[in-house]
Amino acid sequence: MSDPRTELAADEAPRAADGRVAGRRGQATRQRLLTATRTAVADSPYRDLTVVDISRRADTSPATFYQYFPDVEAAVLALIDELTDAGGRQLRALVTDAAWESGDAAAGLSQGFLAFFAEHGELLRVADLAALEGDDRFRQLRTRLFNGVFLALKDLAHEARAVGAIDASASPGGIASVLTTMLTQVSSHRRGFESWGVSADELAATMAAVIDATVRGDGRASL
Amino acid sequence: MSDPRTELAADEAPRAADGRVAGRRGQATRQRLLTATRTAVADSPYRDLTVVDISRRADTSPATFYQYFPDVEAAVLALIDELTDAGGRQLRALVTDAAWESGDAAAGLSQGFLAFFAEHGELLRVADLAALEGDDRFRQLRTRLFNGVFLALKDLAHEARAVGAIDASASPGGIASVLTTMLTQVSSHRRGFESWGVSADELAATMAAVIDATVRGDGRASL
Amino acid sequence: MSDPRTELAADEAPRAADGRVAGRRGQATRQRLLTATRTAVADSPYRDLTVVDISRRADTSPATFYQYFPDVEAAVLALIDELTDAGGRQLRALVTDAAWESGDAAAGLSQGFLAFFAEHGELLRVADLAALEGDDRFRQLRTRLFNGVFLALKDLAHEARAVGAIDASASPGGIASVLTTMLTQVSSHRRGFESWGVSADELAATMAAVIDATVRGDGRASL
Amino acid sequence: MSDPRTELAADEAPRAADGRVAGRRGQATRQRLLTATRTAVADSPYRDLTVVDISRRADTSPATFYQYFPDVEAAVLALIDELTDAGGRQLRALVTDAAWESGDAAAGLSQGFLAFFAEHGELLRVADLAALEGDDRFRQLRTRLFNGVFLALKDLAHEARAVGAIDASASPGGIASVLTTMLTQVSSHRRGFESWGVSADELAATMAAVIDATVRGDGRASL
DNA sequence: GATGAATGAGGTTTCATTCAT
DNA sequence: TATGAATGAAACCTCATTCAT
């Protein structure tokens, strides 16, 4: 992958097709293309996501698109990349910065995920599908995004097991996996549940209870 | 939905493009197309799912495909439809036929879902995406498939709340939503977890623990 | 043209593809196909006229269509053929059976054409296009249909010239051509004129005046 | 009609599929496509008029065709549009610029129409069919093309009635309709008449006589 | 930097047509 | 007689992609 348009390293400036660092005008165009990609992902089915469509939405031509991205998926990847560093930190903080001794941490975590997916759900849904279908670039980004949460939850489970709050046979990795999946997927399907009569508040509360029960042993450790 | 090729009513025979009931030979062709669709869904990314590809796999021509389905999605839909009745009953039985007094029910439920998705995961993944993207036909089928489980879990939660096993403020609908999502999505992502070092057994055990804690209150009701 | 399905000779019974004379049931099917063709011609643009469409309208299959006609145009030709003998006689009678000494003949002729086209306009419009595009089968049928009127008008013009009612330099063939064209085409475009504010009565009256002036010299011959 | 390729406003530059004004090279290509369309209309039956055929004739690809026109009919429409302004003025002038006091005006008008249709007959024949079949875009263009003649003839009839040259009951609208139809359709069918033994001169002379008789009352007004 | 312009490629869709039943 | 069934063929249409300006 020597294509300069695919580089994702965080501290390098985006390059155009010929390898030049993009100037101010170029940056603006690239950004317009990214924004157009985001809207397109949200508006239309994944199967209809095309270079032509994105260019049209960005008020530019396909030729220009190719100055900045080798294909549609690269643009989607860039979009998720934009999200990953700040987003990953933010999500992890929901676990690490919370006071798990008190009872609010799990609720904050659940609400944080719901909020994050309310803003970025469409994008992440596409990444999820691509990852499931075996695309490694997407798999890696997903990992970078949710890994902080995963590890933090694993640590929590570890400690809980150490202090006897949860069963000794519990697997911290399993717990972190299941809880992370629950958080992302319930958040992702939120709209479906709402149209089914289950409110976001109910979802958040239930998830919080599940998390507490799973990772804090429902508080019984202190008994 | 006046297109005879889209009719889903369970007891009606499939129709061809011109509305006539398909004969024996036609039935066989239709079935071959469905099988080809299933393989194609499993083999190639959703975006590459195409009428030409399916026809080739079924050893027939695109023109023939259109005699039986108006578009690719209709074939996928038919495939899921085939699954829905038997599959829905089977999944619900995992909840309703289990002895929740003993401790094995949750484990059986988790393993049952993992097994079901091992067989039909690729298909359900596509249906999930389509449903998330707003396609109502897929949403309805999903509902029919998982509704039995959802309702059964809701009943369990209701009872648990009634006998004080779980908190009085818990929402049965929320619990059923979260647990159903967990079951389907963890099962769907299983392969990803495995490549990440988390085994299917760990997943099943963790899910079982989560279910028990959420719906049986970890047995504390008997205290 | 040895295809038995194309024979147009008036006194022969229609044949199926294999040359057999069609029985009663076959006759009915053929008639249903013809009726369907008529509706299709009237309903949809000429470019969209297809075997599939006609068969559907006739509640039968394309395979059946081919039992009776080699192609779409043959069905249209058969339709016009049905019309030709009776219609041609009827139209000619409008000229030959009228009392041209009195003043009503031209009005009757004009109204007769308007009525005839009100019923068969769509069909004749297609035949006209096909004839203009060089299809000889259609040209011949058109001739058979309108030739009676043409010849009768030519005779009238001849006589008028003989008695000095119209200019000696007038060409009976030209007059008959122009008047026949006027009658058919004004009748054919009638609906367009109406939407333009010119009533059928005005059209008939004007055509009558034109005919009288052209073929009777506006009555001055009697002066 | 928001498709930029369908805009007909006379003073706007033609647009490509993406809405951008076409540059010099694009203009040339568009023109080549139009020329190819004209030849195709003249050469082959209307039912066979196809994007592939036109593109081939223009030495380009179907994809290119779609950059400039949304469908075949749009190209035909553009062709007629090109014709309309100049052609409409030219035809109207045949009526308005002629000396109707002398006897040559009607002959000039008839010959003018025959000449105009000798050049553009195939195109106008297609437009006529489309208009008859209810396509409004074609109907409007036809109106714009022949409306000048229609109105001018109506004026003539009006004056003739005012000075008593023709019957007081005559309808100027009816007269203009019938005469316009006669001029266009006889011109359009000219070739058919010729193969039938009626020369263009005879047609012109007869039409002239009809026009004079209808709109000048054969000069009797001066009596 | 941006994009007009062109086009090969390929999927979509419909149709005419045939054949065995 | 009628038609299920299949399919080659061909048009339609859009897209990805490139290149010269």
Side-chain angles (χ1 to χ4, degrees):
Chain A
M1 256 207 241
S2 63
D3 190 320
R5 293 167 293 175
T6 319
E7 300 302 331
L8 289 179
D11 35 5
E12 270 184 45
R15 313 273 169 140
D18 50 12
R20 278 181 299 132
V21 176
R24 207 180 310 140
R25 183 149 152 249
Q27 279 306 314
T29 304
R30 186 173 182 277
Q31 204 51 51
R32 252 172 38 232
L33 285 166
L34 284 177
T35 304
T37 305
R38 201 200 314 275
T39 347
V41 166
D43 280 9
S44 53
Y46 180 45
R47 295 191 63 174
D48 297 351
L49 198 60
T50 81
V51 172
V52 171
D53 181 33
I54 294 172
S55 313
R56 252 198 295 265
R57 287 170 189 264
D59 251 317
T60 182
S61 71
T64 301
F65 179 93
Y66 284 101
Q67 297 262 339
Y68 297 95
F69 308 101
D71 53 39
V72 173
E73 283 171 17
V76 178
L77 277 168
L79 226 32
I80 302 181
D81 191 53
E82 271 191 358
L83 207 64
T84 299
D85 291 313
R89 256 192 308 274
Q90 171 191 340
L91 290 175
R92 195 189 47 167
L94 292 171
V95 182
T96 54
D97 293 5
W100 286 92
E101 316 76 59
S102 90
D104 294 342
L109 177 55
S110 302
Q111 283 153 6
F113 261 85
L114 281 166
F116 190 75
F117 272 79
E119 201 171 338
H120 306 295
E122 288 100 345
L123 198 56
L124 295 174
R125 161 166 92 221
V126 168
D128 195 36
L129 177 74
L132 278 176
E133 279 174 343
D135 190 316
D136 246 351
R137 303 173 295 175
F138 283 95
R139 187 136 57 191
Q140 281 166 28
L141 274 183
R142 257 186 76 80
T143 301
R144 263 176 58 207
L145 181 54
F146 295 123
N147 209 30
V149 169
F150 176 83
L151 293 176
L153 285 173
K154 198 167 156 189
D155 283 350
L156 275 187
H158 220 278
E159 286 172 38
R161 203 173 57 174
V163 301
I166 60 174
D167 199 278
S169 73
S171 142
I175 288 175
S177 297
V178 168
L179 292 186
T180 307
T181 303
M182 178 191 73
L183 284 166
T184 57
Q185 299 298 330
V186 169
S187 299
S188 188
H189 288 75
R190 166 192 179 169
R191 219 178 292 252
F193 292 129
E194 283 177 349
S195 79
W196 224 20
V198 180
S199 74
D201 281 348
E202 280 173 292
L203 293 174
T206 306
M207 287 199 292
V210 166
I211 293 167
D212 274 334
T214 310
V215 117
R216 300 177 64 213
D218 217 1
R220 282 170 308 135
S222 52
L223 297 183
Chain B
M1 258 209 237
S2 64
D3 190 318
R5 292 167 296 176
T6 318
E7 297 303 330
L8 290 179
D11 35 3
E12 271 184 44
R15 313 275 171 137
D18 51 11
R20 265 182 269 274
V21 180
R24 202 180 315 135
R25 187 151 156 243
Q27 284 300 324
T29 304
R30 197 186 115 102
Q31 204 52 49
R32 253 172 40 232
L33 284 166
L34 283 177
T35 305
T37 304
R38 200 198 317 276
T39 342
V41 166
D43 281 9
S44 53
Y46 180 46
R47 295 191 63 176
D48 297 351
L49 197 59
T50 180
V51 172
V52 172
D53 181 33
I54 295 173
S55 313
R56 241 195 309 265
R57 287 170 191 263
D59 253 318
T60 182
S61 69
T64 300
F65 178 93
Y66 283 102
Q67 293 252 349
Y68 297 95
F69 307 101
D71 52 40
V72 172
E73 278 165 26
V76 178
L77 229 28
L79 228 31
I80 303 180
D81 191 53
E82 271 191 357
L83 205 64
T84 298
D85 290 315
R89 256 192 308 271
Q90 171 190 342
L91 291 174
R92 195 191 45 166
L94 292 171
V95 181
T96 53
D97 293 4
W100 286 91
E101 316 76 58
S102 89
D104 295 340
L109 177 55
S110 301
Q111 284 153 6
F113 261 85
L114 281 165
F116 191 76
F117 273 78
E119 199 171 339
H120 307 295
E122 289 100 345
L123 198 55
L124 295 173
R125 172 203 307 157
V126 169
D128 195 36
L129 178 73
L132 280 176
E133 278 174 344
D135 191 317
D136 242 356
R137 304 172 297 176
F138 282 95
R139 187 137 57 191
Q140 281 167 27
L141 274 183
R142 257 187 75 79
T143 301
R144 263 176 57 204
L145 180 55
F146 295 124
N147 208 30
V149 169
F150 176 84
L151 293 175
L153 285 172
K154 198 167 156 191
D155 282 348
L156 277 186
H158 219 278
E159 286 172 38
R161 203 174 58 174
V163 300
I166 60 174
D167 199 277
S169 73
S171 142
I175 288 174
S177 297
V178 167
L179 292 186
T180 307
T181 302
M182 179 192 71
L183 285 165
T184 58
Q185 298 297 330
V186 168
S187 299
S188 186
H189 288 74
R190 165 193 181 170
R191 218 178 294 255
F193 293 129
E194 282 176 349
S195 79
W196 223 20
V198 180
S199 74
D201 280 348
E202 281 174 291
L203 293 175
T206 307
M207 287 200 289
V210 166
I211 293 167
D212 275 333
T214 310
V215 117
R216 300 176 63 212
D218 219 0
R220 284 172 306 135
S222 52
L223 299 182
Chain C
M1 257 206 241
S2 62
D3 190 319
R5 293 167 295 175
T6 320
E7 299 303 331
L8 289 179
D11 35 6
E12 269 182 47
R15 312 274 171 138
D18 51 12
R20 277 181 300 131
V21 177
R24 206 180 310 139
R25 182 147 152 253
Q27 280 306 313
T29 303
R30 185 172 183 277
Q31 203 52 49
R32 252 172 38 232
L33 284 165
L34 284 176
T35 305
T37 305
R38 200 200 316 275
T39 348
V41 166
D43 281 9
S44 53
Y46 180 46
R47 294 191 64 173
D48 297 350
L49 198 59
T50 81
V51 172
V52 171
D53 180 33
I54 294 173
S55 312
R56 251 198 296 265
R57 287 170 189 264
D59 251 318
T60 183
S61 71
T64 302
F65 180 94
Y66 284 101
Q67 297 262 339
Y68 297 96
F69 308 102
D71 54 39
V72 173
E73 282 171 17
V76 178
L77 278 168
L79 227 32
I80 303 180
D81 191 53
E82 270 191 358
L83 206 65
T84 299
D85 292 312
R89 256 192 308 273
Q90 170 191 342
L91 290 174
R92 195 191 45 167
L94 291 171
V95 182
T96 53
D97 293 4
W100 286 91
E101 316 76 60
S102 89
D104 294 342
L109 177 55
S110 302
Q111 284 153 6
F113 260 85
L114 281 166
F116 190 76
F117 272 78
E119 202 172 338
H120 307 294
E122 288 100 345
L123 197 56
L124 295 173
R125 159 168 94 220
V126 168
D128 195 36
L129 178 74
L132 279 175
E133 279 175 343
D135 190 316
D136 245 351
R137 303 173 295 175
F138 283 95
R139 186 136 58 191
Q140 281 165 27
L141 273 183
R142 258 186 75 80
T143 303
R144 262 176 59 207
L145 182 54
F146 296 123
N147 207 31
V149 169
F150 175 83
L151 293 175
L153 284 172
K154 198 165 158 193
D155 282 351
L156 274 187
H158 220 280
E159 285 173 37
R161 201 172 59 174
V163 301
I166 60 174
D167 199 277
S169 73
S171 142
I175 288 174
S177 298
V178 167
L179 291 186
T180 307
T181 302
M182 178 192 73
L183 284 165
T184 58
Q185 298 297 331
V186 168
S187 299
S188 187
H189 287 75
R190 166 192 178 168
R191 219 177 293 251
F193 292 129
E194 282 176 350
S195 79
W196 225 20
V198 180
S199 74
D201 282 348
E202 281 174 291
L203 293 174
T206 307
M207 287 200 291
V210 166
I211 293 166
D212 275 334
T214 310
V215 117
R216 299 177 64 213
D218 217 359
R220 281 172 308 136
S222 54
L223 298 184
Chain D
M1 257 208 239
S2 63
D3 190 318
R5 293 167 294 176
T6 319
E7 298 302 330
L8 289 179
D11 34 5
E12 271 184 43
R15 312 274 170 139
D18 51 11
R20 264 182 271 274
V21 179
R24 203 181 314 135
R25 187 153 157 243
Q27 283 301 322
T29 304
R30 197 185 116 101
Q31 204 52 50
R32 252 171 41 232
L33 284 165
L34 283 178
T35 306
T37 305
R38 201 199 317 275
T39 344
V41 165
D43 281 10
S44 53
Y46 180 47
R47 296 191 63 177
D48 297 351
L49 197 58
T50 179
V51 172
V52 173
D53 181 34
I54 294 173
S55 312
R56 240 195 310 266
R57 287 170 191 265
D59 253 318
T60 183
S61 69
T64 300
F65 179 92
Y66 284 104
Q67 294 251 350
Y68 298 95
F69 308 100
D71 54 38
V72 172
E73 277 165 26
V76 177
L77 229 27
L79 226 33
I80 303 180
D81 190 53
E82 271 191 356
L83 204 65
T84 298
D85 290 315
R89 256 192 308 273
Q90 170 191 342
L91 290 175
R92 195 190 47 166
L94 292 172
V95 182
T96 53
D97 294 3
W100 287 91
E101 315 77 58
S102 89
D104 294 341
L109 176 56
S110 302
Q111 284 153 8
F113 260 85
L114 281 167
F116 191 76
F117 272 78
E119 199 170 341
H120 307 294
E122 288 99 345
L123 197 56
L124 295 173
R125 172 203 307 158
V126 169
D128 195 36
L129 178 73
L132 279 176
E133 278 175 344
D135 191 317
D136 243 355
R137 304 172 296 176
F138 282 95
R139 187 137 57 192
Q140 281 167 26
L141 273 184
R142 257 187 74 80
T143 301
R144 263 176 58 205
L145 180 55
F146 295 124
N147 207 30
V149 169
F150 176 84
L151 293 176
L153 286 172
K154 198 167 157 191
D155 282 350
L156 276 186
H158 219 279
E159 285 172 40
R161 201 174 59 173
V163 300
I166 60 174
D167 199 276
S169 73
S171 143
I175 288 174
S177 297
V178 168
L179 292 185
T180 307
T181 302
M182 178 192 72
L183 284 164
T184 57
Q185 299 297 331
V186 168
S187 301
S188 187
H189 287 74
R190 165 194 179 167
R191 218 177 293 255
F193 293 129
E194 282 175 349
S195 79
W196 224 21
V198 180
S199 75
D201 281 349
E202 280 174 293
L203 292 174
T206 307
M207 287 199 290
V210 166
I211 293 167
D212 275 333
T214 310
V215 117
R216 300 178 63 214
D218 219 0
R220 283 173 306 135
S222 52
L223 299 182

